[in-house]
Amino acid sequence: MTESSRGRPTMKDVAALAGVALKTVSRVVNDEPGVNPATAGRVTSAIERLGYRRNESARVLRRGRTASVGLVIEDVADPFYAGFSRAVEDVALRHGSLLLSGSSGEDPRRERELALAFCARGVDGLIIVPAGTDHDYLRPELDAGVAAVFADRPGGLDADTVLCDNAGGAQAGVAHLIRHGHRRVAFVGDSASIFTSGERLRGYRRALAEAGLPFDPSLVATGPARLAGSALARMLSGEHPPTAVFTGNGRITVAALRTGHRPALVGFDDFELSDLLDPGVTVVAQDPVRLGGTAAELLFRRLSGDLGPPERIELPTRLVPRGSGELPP
């Protein structure tokens, strides 16, 4: 083959151009010792001249691994999952793996299709933000040696899981509003069937109970973020409106702010420009980067041979006062 020949150059082409044995090229390509520096220089020059690229797929398959992992998240457009995904990718790259990712859109069937599609492409492991609770479809893959970690929400199998303290964070946020004199605190969150939303609602109720305040169902609205603003507006226009509101995630906090109403507010999840509003938005912040990084490091620990029992890691949240949560009734 010459430089003008069509097709991807091979190690044989490099060996022919450099005038060395195929084994010598293999040693140079794989950074193995035992090659004379002058000879290695000729091989390197031939590689650059031909534009040769190592066949990573063949190399890793010989080692029994594909050097790729799959990530299934709720929505790649959600800023929370953007930071989460980037952290997973950074860890994967440090371990020499590529990341394949896709969005389930909160559809359990879509989650299953994505996870199995990644497995069909031979990924070594999976990180899944579960859209559903039935993960029996993964059992054959786990039996075949694929590692799996559930993140942000628990899955339907006894597997490694990394969560944030959703209930504790919500309780701290609502208790903060109560300490500032509020006795009618509304909760506006995502669908209660979603694990994170259900846990945050549980934390809300726990804060009320600890303060000796009754739970009023009329002050609770759960459902899609697109309906959050209208739900809050109805509450605030009622006969006994809340004086404060706790919002269950960043998208719902933004929807609440867009109503133009400004009750005291604490939102779960930080979001961009929240500190530039007047007043700044008090939030319960979780760390999506730490969440993604922790899940990825746990996955690669399993891929490195850790056979210990499944772990459940719960990461802390922190209250960030900025003004909206400190407004009086």
Side-chain angles (χ1 to χ4, degrees):
M1 174 178 172
T2 67
E3 290 177 80
S4 60
S5 299
R6 299 181 64 184
R8 190 185 300 273
T10 66
M11 282 202 293
K12 288 183 179 180
D13 301 320
V14 174
L17 183 60
V20 299
L22 183 62
K23 181 61 177 176
T24 301
V25 176
S26 177
R27 285 176 175 163
V28 173
V29 167
N30 292 293
D31 297 320
E32 297 175 3
V35 180
N36 178 280
T39 302
R42 293 207 313 276
V43 172
T44 300
S45 296
I47 287 172
E48 293 176 352
R49 187 172 172 186
L50 291 171
Y52 168 78
R53 295 291 181 269
R54 181 169 62 181
N55 187 334
E56 292 290 338
S57 297
R59 182 176 70 91
V60 297
L61 283 171
R62 283 195 297 271
R63 298 181 180 182
R65 294 263 298 275
T66 62
S68 63
V69 294
L71 172 64
V72 181
I73 57 178
E74 176 193 345
D75 183 0
V76 70
D78 187 321
F80 176 86
Y81 288 114
F84 175 90
S85 300
R86 179 58 185 269
V88 173
E89 184 177 30
D90 286 346
V91 173
L93 289 175
R94 286 203 304 272
H95 286 269
S97 285
L98 294 176
L99 179 68
L100 309 177
S101 64
S103 303
S104 70
E106 291 292 2
D107 181 346
R109 184 173 62 180
R110 176 64 177 158
E111 173 211 301
R112 180 180 184 276
E113 290 172 351
L114 279 170
L116 292 180
F118 291 151
C119 289
R121 284 160 176 76
V123 296
D124 301 316
L126 292 167
I127 296 175
I128 298 176
V129 175
T133 57
D134 181 3
H135 292 91
D136 281 346
Y137 71 85
L138 282 177
R139 291 188 187 279
E141 308 302 331
L142 300 183
D143 291 343
V146 175
V149 175
F150 294 116
D152 196 38
R153 311 163 185 175
L157 295 176
D158 188 18
D160 291 319
T161 304
V162 183
L163 310 171
C164 287
D165 184 10
N166 294 283
Q171 182 178 357
V174 175
H176 184 74
L177 291 166
I178 293 171
R179 282 195 301 273
H180 283 81
H182 297 279
R183 295 297 178 265
R184 289 185 62 77
V185 181
F187 177 93
V188 183
D190 217 329
S191 171
S193 63
I194 298 172
F195 171 80
T196 49
S197 182
E199 284 293 286
R200 292 166 196 175
L201 180 57
R202 185 166 69 88
Y204 163 82
R205 297 189 66 159
R206 200 161 66 190
L208 295 179
E210 289 200 356
L213 297 176
F215 173 72
D216 183 348
S218 71
L219 294 180
V220 174
T222 58
R226 68 179 184 276
L227 302 178
S230 57
L232 177 59
R234 282 195 300 272
M235 287 185 197
L236 293 172
S237 62
E239 187 176 351
H240 300 290
T243 61
V245 60
F246 182 84
T247 49
N249 62 42
R251 286 176 294 182
I252 290 175
T253 303
V254 172
L257 292 170
R258 283 178 173 158
T259 66
H261 297 287
R262 290 294 182 268
L265 170 68
V266 174
F268 202 108
D269 283 340
D270 209 351
F271 60 98
E272 192 172 7
L273 305 182
S274 59
D275 57 333
L276 298 182
L277 298 174
D278 185 18
V281 180
T282 297
V283 298
V284 174
Q286 54 180 334
D287 189 342
V289 173
R290 184 179 177 188
L291 181 68
T294 301
E297 291 290 3
L298 184 52
L299 179 71
F300 280 97
R301 203 174 78 203
R302 296 302 186 188
L303 293 175
S304 297
D306 186 338
L307 300 178
E311 292 189 28
R312 183 183 176 103
I313 299 172
E314 189 171 83
L315 302 176
T317 59
R318 61 190 179 93
L319 183 70
V320 184
R322 295 196 179 110
S324 70
E326 295 71 56
L327 296 175

